[in-house]
Amino acid sequence: MGEMGVPDQKIVEGPAGYVLEDVPHLTDYIPDLPTFPNPLQDNPAYSVVKQYFVNQDDTVPQKIVVQKTSPRGTHFRRAGPRQRGGYKGFYACNTIPLTLKAVNDIHKRGGTVLGTSRGGHDTIKIVDSIEDRGINQVYIIGGDGTQKGASAIFQEVRRRGLQVAVVGIPKTIDNDIAVIDKSFGFDTAVEEAQRAINAAHVEAESAENGIGMVKLMGRYSGFIAMYATLASRDVDCCLIPESPFYLEGNGGLLEYIEKRIKENGHILIVVAEGAGQELVAESMKQAEHDASGNKLLYDVGLWLSQKIKDHFTRKQNFVINLKYIDPTYMIRAIPSIASDNVYCTLLAHSAIHGAMAGYTGFTVGLVNGRHTYIPFYRVTESRNKVVITDRMWARLLSSTNQPSFLCSKVVQEAKTANGTPLKVS
């Protein structure tokens, strides 16, 4: 390792052949930027705040207390909610000092001590707050949408010529951030999903014509469902957003469920939350969006459960017992497992080393097993998804023995796009 913990080598191996010079540096737009030793004697949790930001949701007090003797001059204390998470925290003016005592055992807790929220990303307000507080390093932790917000903050910081390093740290259980091998939290989600899958399997085995169904997180990418299925080895069918399926007719999902029950007496199904949304949308109203701009998904688990019940209701002398388990938020709220704790430590060290060396506008992560600084534009231009022509998905199909569920229309589209025949089991 070189000075400030930055690797000596310049070339960082990756799918695009990145070099360290591709990562922006503060000296790119501030040529005369001075360098200083690490000011450990200063307290980084406190800085002078010259202005206060009031949001529409804040409480407006009837009486104002003016502090005339304050060293910061005459100012008003902000009223309203005292803590806000996510990007709203930048202009809520309620800082949380991260002392050694405060962070001593946070790795043993689930959730986030800083709080989280949907929406609230106002780039101008955020950078105004960063500039006003005198912050010179910003570490932004989150998934695909969070990294896009970090990229916007970096662009505005660069436009203003501020001496601020902006660094992204990937943290999402969906594992849908592009380029990197995996994100922090994914291993924990797969491990905890086993408990729900095991419970559903017990319920399905214990009942006559039992059907156990588990819905896991995976809005656009089905990595949790795929890896949890492979780890369990008890799952008979796995449905993910990347692999379309259909219900009725020859080779459809309902036919496979009926066949599996007749053969084994039960069936265990794992479905990602983003799977089959096109089918659900046909019978539901137009989709809405949340505060972050994400399309609100229909509950595919409840919808699919009802479709299965309706199908077997029409069949005489074929009574099923269906148990549906939705552990999504229980999985997200648990403390991280040991492998994720270690990975998180490595990500934190990489992020700090890069920022202290003056690099900015990058996300840290493993690329082909090596720690890499990846420019924001590379991790935000696409989304990591399961490749259903890859070996890992083929391993899943061999484990569950499920058909591909590809209808003739999908097969023809694949042939047209690839120019090669597509074998359908």
Side-chain angles (χ1 to χ4, degrees):
M1 303 292 284
E3 186 179 1
M4 305 305 294
V6 177
D8 292 325
Q9 65 272 18
K10 289 296 182 180
I11 298 178
V12 180
E13 294 181 1
Y18 306 121
V19 295
L20 201 56
E21 284 78 3
D22 289 338
V23 180
H25 196 275
L26 290 173
T27 55
D28 293 343
Y29 54 92
I30 309 177
D32 55 347
L33 179 68
T35 59
F36 303 96
N38 189 8
L40 292 178
Q41 69 275 10
D42 296 334
N43 182 1
Y46 177 80
S47 62
V48 176
V49 179
K50 301 177 183 177
Q51 58 181 327
Y52 286 78
F53 303 89
V54 180
N55 198 50
Q56 293 179 353
D57 297 332
D58 292 342
T59 302
V60 178
Q62 293 180 342
K63 296 182 179 180
I64 303 296
V65 177
V66 181
Q67 298 187 5
K68 294 183 178 180
T69 59
S70 169
R72 287 179 275 175
T74 302
H75 68 283
F76 303 100
R77 287 289 181 183
R78 172 188 173 278
R82 303 313 299 168
Q83 292 186 9
R84 284 230 179 97
Y87 282 119
K88 293 179 181 179
F90 276 103
Y91 43 89
C93 296
N94 294 310
T95 57
I96 301 177
L98 298 180
T99 62
L100 289 176
K101 183 178 180 180
V103 302
N104 182 54
D105 63 347
I106 61 174
H107 63 289
K108 299 178 182 178
R109 291 181 258 165
T112 166
V113 296
L114 297 179
T116 183
S117 66
R118 287 288 187 187
H121 189 281
D122 188 323
T123 305
I124 302 301
K125 271 188 176 183
I126 290 172
V127 179
D128 283 345
S129 178
I130 292 172
E131 186 175 6
D132 182 65
R133 294 168 185 260
I135 298 172
N136 55 23
Q137 292 182 11
V138 180
Y139 299 94
I140 302 178
I141 309 169
D144 174 73
T146 303
Q147 301 304 317
K148 290 180 180 177
S151 179
I153 293 172
F154 160 68
Q155 295 296 338
E156 178 63 18
V157 166
R158 188 170 190 172
R159 187 188 67 82
R160 300 189 188 186
L162 302 180
Q163 299 179 17
V164 179
V166 182
V167 182
I169 300 174
K171 185 183 76 72
T172 170
I173 64 174
D174 285 356
N175 198 36
D176 59 354
I177 299 179
V179 182
I180 66 174
D181 297 345
K182 69 174 180 178
S183 56
F184 168 67
F186 174 67
D187 285 351
T188 300
V190 173
E191 181 70 27
E192 184 65 15
Q194 299 302 301
R195 296 177 59 190
I197 292 175
N198 291 339
H201 187 228
V202 170
E203 289 290 338
E205 273 192 324
S206 302
E208 181 182 4
N209 297 331
I211 300 177
M213 183 181 299
V214 179
K215 187 185 77 171
L216 300 176
M217 282 189 168
R219 174 180 291 269
Y220 302 109
S221 305
F223 286 102
I224 296 178
M226 181 176 71
Y227 276 82
T229 296
L230 284 169
S232 170
R233 311 294 293 182
D234 292 326
V235 179
D236 300 297
C237 182
C238 178
L239 305 173
I240 62 174
E242 295 88 341
S243 182
F245 65 93
Y246 62 103
L247 297 178
E248 307 285 350
N250 185 28
L253 177 61
L254 296 176
E255 180 187 75
Y256 173 70
I257 293 175
E258 184 175 342
K259 174 185 175 184
R260 200 70 172 177
I261 292 177
K262 289 179 179 179
E263 292 175 348
N264 298 339
H266 70 279
I267 186 172
L268 178 58
I269 304 170
V270 170
V271 55
E273 62 177 334
Q277 289 298 313
E278 299 81 5
L279 297 177
V280 188
E282 292 179 1
S283 57
M284 304 289 284
K285 64 181 181 178
Q286 187 176 0
E288 299 176 351
H289 294 78
D290 61 21
S292 296
N294 297 316
K295 184 173 67 174
L296 293 176
L297 301 181
Y298 303 110
D299 193 327
V300 65
L302 290 176
W303 175 84
L304 189 56
S305 298
Q306 189 59 50
K307 287 294 183 181
I308 294 173
K309 291 177 181 178
D310 293 343
H311 172 76
F312 286 100
T313 299
R314 296 191 295 266
K315 290 183 173 293
Q316 297 180 354
N317 302 323
F318 204 122
V319 179
I320 63 168
N321 289 278
L322 191 151
K323 300 297 188 295
Y324 172 50
I325 299 177
D326 182 359
T328 50
Y329 291 104
M330 294 176 64
I331 290 174
R332 195 171 70 169
I334 66 167
S336 57
I337 62 175
S339 61
D340 265 332
N341 282 340
V342 174
Y343 186 40
C344 183
T345 301
L346 298 178
L347 291 177
H349 289 177
S350 296
I352 292 172
H353 291 165
M356 293 299 291
Y359 290 98
T360 182
F362 68 91
T363 295
V364 297
L366 288 177
V367 178
N368 296 334
R370 299 190 62 181
H371 287 278
T372 309
Y373 298 150
I374 310 153
F376 278 143
Y377 74 88
R378 285 292 286 120
V379 297
T380 58
E381 64 184 1
S382 62
R383 182 179 280 112
N384 190 26
K385 292 187 176 184
V386 174
V387 180
I388 60 174
T389 57
D390 195 19
R391 288 183 177 180
M392 191 60 73
W393 184 247
R395 293 185 180 105
L396 181 140
L397 295 179
S398 67
S399 171
T400 62
N401 291 317
Q402 70 186 66
S404 65
F405 300 122
L406 295 178
C407 62
S408 57
K409 178 181 178 182
V410 175
V411 174
Q412 187 59 41
E413 290 177 351
K415 288 181 179 179
T416 304
N418 300 330
T420 56
L422 179 64
K423 184 179 180 180
V424 181
S425 59

